[in-house]
Amino acid sequence: MNKKIINIVFISVLFLTGCSSGVKYLDSNDSKKYTSIGLDYHDIEEAANQNVQSLLQSKYIKNLSTAKKPKVLAISDVINDTMQDFNTEELTRKITRDMRNSGKFTLTMAMSGSGGSTDKMLNQAREARKNDEFNQYTVQEKGNLIAPELSLSGKIVQKNTKVGSKQRVDYYFLLTLTDIKTGLVVWDNEVNIIKIGSNKSVAW
């Protein structure tokens, strides 16, 4: 058997092995059966939902006139002070999506802290003002970006405690909404997610 045929046979075996590895798709509800002591999709979803409900039921929101334009919101720093490696934007974008759907907020992508991201195309498109290859009538004029009125910031904290042969892990999701003009806090909330497992469980 020549070398070319051997390689083809080897690749075919790898392909068939991969196909029979037992990997399958899970419905998001069914995936709760396979949770760990660390943070997962359901924890982020729960923390986001609870924080949004707290915000939308707050006195600040109830006092916002529906006749006024939506408040412009920027995502500021959200510190991940846990042993989990995840992007905090997973949390903030779920929250700001529901905030926008309420009709009382709109999100700016012109500026953000560590808890969000900016759209690089905003600045890149404005660099076209210096490039004669672009029709200058189609380039964005100066002074059109809208500055944020509110800032969403937060911190996620993890605390591990041994309880006999078990390990308890507390996660604190702390979020704050600040009026940028005055610096005053208009809303803040804390969501706690508590898990317990074997001391052998690893929470990172």
Side-chain angles (χ1 to χ4, degrees):
M1 188 179 291
N2 63 40
K3 190 173 182 180
K4 184 176 181 180
I5 295 176
I6 292 173
N7 287 337
I8 292 173
V9 171
F10 179 70
I11 292 171
S12 299
V13 170
L14 287 178
F15 176 77
L16 292 172
T17 302
C19 291
S20 60
S21 62
V23 175
K24 62 179 181 178
Y25 285 102
L26 283 177
D27 180 86
S28 59
N29 291 324
D30 293 338
S31 66
K32 288 183 178 181
K33 301 174 185 176
Y34 304 96
T35 190
S36 70
I37 203 165
L39 289 173
D40 59 27
Y41 162 82
H42 297 287
D43 301 323
I44 302 298
E45 185 83 12
E46 181 64 21
N49 288 339
Q50 287 193 39
N51 273 302
V52 167
Q53 291 307 311
S54 169
L55 173 61
L56 296 182
Q57 293 170 12
S58 69
K59 198 175 286 187
Y60 172 73
I61 295 298
K62 291 178 180 178
N63 288 337
L64 286 180
S65 171
T66 54
K68 290 185 177 180
K69 291 182 178 180
K71 291 281 189 179
V72 181
L73 169 72
I75 301 174
S76 184
D77 291 337
V78 177
I79 300 169
N80 177 11
D81 192 18
T82 74
M83 290 181 280
Q84 315 297 301
D85 183 18
F86 72 95
N87 189 334
T88 55
E89 195 169 358
E90 294 177 37
L91 172 70
T92 58
R93 290 303 288 270
K94 287 179 184 295
I95 293 172
T96 54
R97 186 178 302 118
D98 286 342
M99 290 174 71
R100 288 187 293 109
N101 288 339
S102 73
K104 296 187 177 182
F105 301 92
T106 187
L107 178 66
T108 177
M109 296 293 286
M111 59 177 67
S112 73
S114 64
S117 58
T118 56
D119 188 337
K120 295 180 180 179
M121 188 55 63
L122 295 175
N123 285 330
Q124 190 174 336
R126 283 159 176 77
E127 287 294 319
R129 296 173 187 148
K130 305 173 185 177
N131 191 335
D132 292 337
E133 295 298 324
F134 284 95
N135 182 335
Q136 293 301 302
Y137 288 105
T138 66
V139 175
Q140 297 299 323
E141 296 178 354
K142 291 183 178 181
N144 281 322
L145 290 178
I146 306 298
E149 302 167 87
L150 298 169
S151 170
L152 179 69
S153 60
K155 189 172 187 179
I156 306 164
V157 181
Q158 174 181 340
K159 181 180 178 182
N160 291 35
T161 307
K162 286 187 177 181
V163 184
S165 61
K166 300 289 186 179
Q167 176 183 192
R168 169 176 164 162
V169 183
D170 299 343
Y171 298 101
Y172 307 87
F173 292 78
L174 315 171
L175 288 176
T176 303
L177 190 64
T178 305
D179 185 312
I180 292 178
K181 182 177 181 179
T182 64
L184 298 178
V185 173
V186 296
W187 167 85
D188 73 321
N189 192 52
E190 176 181 329
V191 172
N192 300 319
I193 291 179
I194 302 171
K195 293 186 171 185
I196 191 163
S198 166
N199 270 332
K200 297 178 181 179
S201 301
V202 180
W204 62 79

